[in-house]
Amino acid sequence: MTTAYIMKRCNSIAFASSFEHLPIKFGDKELSNSIFISDKPNPNYSFTKKSITIEDIPEGRIANLQQYIDTFEQMTKTNEVVSMQTTANIPTFIVELAREVNRTVKVPTCNDDIDRIAIEDWDYSDFVTDFFNTDDARDPVALSTIDGYKDAFINFIDNRDYFEDHGLSPKFLDWIKYIYHLLSSGELQIDVLKLLNNNGVQTVNLEKANPIDYEEKEVTDVEPISLFNDIKIVIDKEDTNTSSKSALYKPDREGLKKATLGNSTQLEAFSKNKFTVIHTKKSANIDDSQTYHRNHDILHSLARNGVVCSPDTGAELSLSKLMNKLKTYEKFNIVFVHPSYELKVTRGDYPSELVEPSYTINSGELLAIVYRYISINFFGYCSVFTEGMEELEYLI
């Protein structure tokens, strides 16, 4: 079995959710020979104290094309693998992609319990006389109808999808407009306005008379560091996978149907000239059964990874700059650190299902972008078979 591509210069690729997990997969010598890429130092770990930007990465001593040709000829003659760079001299690039940040944001208030009580206890006499054409505010038929309205609306509070399969009468919509001023929950106000709009009711006056209630809240968010904030990504807002529990995404049938008919997210990305990540494919749709000795595992891995669109910006993006710097090295290890990565740390000698980045959807798509960059710049399309592959077959 061959253990590496002749032209394979990325010695290993890894992903981690935190710096503290790196010693699990990297030895002390590898970490002591690390190059930390970030926009600020991290004083908690000795191997990340001194950071540099992408522009400051030192030029590697790349072997030229003739050296690779000479190496190939020597391997052919001696039938052995010749290393062009010793393991001790292989640098380990630690690249911080994103970090958690605390911020104060305004979010709609949530007072559903208070709203339930208000709706139950409100005096509906005015509504009875104005909307049921009666002078009797205690009209039993009208009160029975309103009780039904209240029960239905409380079900809506408990389950915002409650009215999806229900036809709403004009009188019920009028009642909802009537009780709107009782609502103190900003979240419920927004959902009620959507409900009314979806049923053809104009809500401009309601919104002006009863502004949506917001409150300030401290939240923890994940955002790319300044070095990579030029990577703009369009995500599939209708993705049914809220988070991935393995490196292999498993979309539902409806998701696959949408992918077949054409995805609006992809069209949006083309129009906005941004990266697009859509989790629908399980393979590259290449039939390997007829070409067993020409496997396409890395192509399948790229398909599963989900990056379907790359922008044409006219300017060199940060990740392109990083790749060009890495190309000056004969060999290197690289690990990308992102808090939305769902595992502690994973490391592999080549792209595969076991090392494909697994992350929280709508938060960690930058991992999918860098995985594609590394795969297409430093690996061929075939798998790298090693002696450990037989054991891995039992793990997949």
Side-chain angles (χ1 to χ4, degrees), residues 5-30:
Y5 288 119
I6 301 169
M7 301 290 284
K8 174 180 174 296
R9 298 205 305 275
C10 181
N11 190 61
S12 69
I13 177 175
F15 298 96
S17 58
S18 172
F19 297 108
E20 65 179 302
H21 303 312
L22 298 188
I24 297 175
K25 293 293 184 179
F26 291 88
D28 292 338
K29 288 184 178 180
E30 291 176 312

Side-chain angles (χ1 to χ4, degrees), residues 132-151:
F132 285 90
N133 297 320
T134 178
D135 295 330
D136 183 6
R138 306 305 302 170
D139 183 87
V141 175
L143 292 179
S144 175
T145 301
I146 289 175
D147 285 340
Y149 290 170
K150 290 192 292 185
D151 290 342

Side-chain angles (χ1 to χ4, degrees), residues 95-106:
V95 184
E96 184 179 23
L97 292 175
R99 65 173 65 99
E100 291 183 339
V101 293
N102 295 321
R103 65 178 67 187
T104 301
V105 297
K106 285 189 175 182

